[in-house]
Amino acid sequence: CALPILFLKLIAQNCSKFVIFAPSTVKPHKSFSINIKAEDQFGNTAAGYTGRVELSSDQIKNLPKSVNFTSKHKGLVIIKGLRAGRKGVARIRACDKKCNLRGESNPIEVDQQAQLKLYWGEIHSQSYIADGRGTCDEIYEYARRDAGLDFAAVSEHSMPHNDFDDLETKWETVRRATIKHHQDRQFV
């Protein structure tokens, strides 16, 4: 007896804060990117958020003074080509004064001598194929775009409701999504 598979669509609430994903370590004057996400109180991307967000940092050169979230951004803005100045710990702050929303990045260690780079990722995600939610493409898109991760893996497993005769097709679905979303030295 197969159990029915139910799909739920999450609808984010209004934006309650900003989350800024930045690299944990950078070398001075080396280019890097940040993701600024409008987030609801439950951690979902507030895709409907629009507004002017002021940005500030003591350490980050060429940080724009503000960024405008429009409906085309779907709650997330990526800023590329930023550079840190002197050695130390930097943070980036975001503020929408009109809506009283704020956010601050993770600490960014600026160090010319940094030998190792810290990477962030998720290696245990399941799609609808097993007992998870969404497609393999959605998992990878969320990991890279919304969560600002450096790597992710869809790690499906057999469930009693799976059709064991169709495992090869399901494996091929995971494999193709993994290849599609791989960006050498950017997202693995």
Side-chain angles (χ1 to χ4, degrees):
C1 175
L3 298 172
I5 298 174
L6 302 175
F7 291 95
L8 301 174
K9 181 175 179 165
L10 293 176
I11 300 173
Q13 303 297 308
N14 291 331
C15 180
S16 65
K17 67 179 178 179
F18 299 112
V19 177
I20 304 171
F21 298 104
S24 296
T25 55
V26 298
K27 291 187 176 188
H29 315 293
K30 178 96 173 163
S31 179
F32 68 94
S33 301
I34 62 169
N35 292 13
I36 305 173
K37 181 171 81 160
E39 199 172 83
D40 73 7
Q41 64 182 340
F42 303 106
N44 300 306
T45 303
Y49 170 76
T50 58
R52 182 174 178 265
V53 178
E54 295 178 16
L55 303 174
S56 63
S57 175
D58 297 334
Q59 284 266 69
I60 307 302
K61 298 180 176 185
N62 69 328
L63 181 70
K65 292 184 194 265
S66 66
V67 64
N68 290 313
F69 276 71
T70 65
S71 58
K72 76 173 187 164
H73 290 111
K74 297 182 180 175
L76 184 108
V77 170
I78 298 172
I79 301 175
K80 298 180 179 182
L82 299 177
R83 298 184 190 286
R86 65 191 180 282
K87 181 178 177 175
V89 177
R91 289 193 184 260
I92 299 170
R93 290 166 293 287
C95 176
D96 178 340
K97 292 180 180 176
K98 183 178 175 185
C99 297
N100 196 31
L101 300 170
R102 299 186 186 288
E104 185 174 65
S105 73
N106 53 284
I108 306 165
E109 180 185 14
V110 183
D111 186 356
Q112 183 64 38
Q113 303 304 317
Q115 298 297 314
L116 300 175
K117 183 176 177 186
L118 181 61
Y119 293 96
W120 296 95
E122 167 64 67
I123 60 169
H124 192 86
S125 296
Q126 282 98 37
S127 73
Y128 74 91
I129 291 173
D131 61 351
R133 180 176 66 93
T135 66
C136 297
D137 285 330
E138 289 170 337
I139 289 170
Y140 284 124
E141 288 164 9
Y142 178 85
R144 180 71 177 142
R145 181 185 180 276
D146 294 52
L149 299 179
D150 300 301
F151 61 91
V154 175
S155 49
E156 304 291 11
H157 51 82
S158 295
M159 295 295 295
H161 69 271
N162 286 144
D163 178 2
F164 291 103
D165 295 333
D166 199 21
L167 287 179
E168 191 170 318
T169 301
K170 291 174 181 176
W171 167 245
E172 186 62 21
T173 299
V174 174
R175 193 183 75 75
R176 284 185 184 183
T178 302
I179 291 168
K180 175 182 172 183
H181 293 279
H182 174 85
Q183 297 173 353
D184 198 32
R185 298 185 185 266
Q186 297 295 316
F187 182 73
V188 179

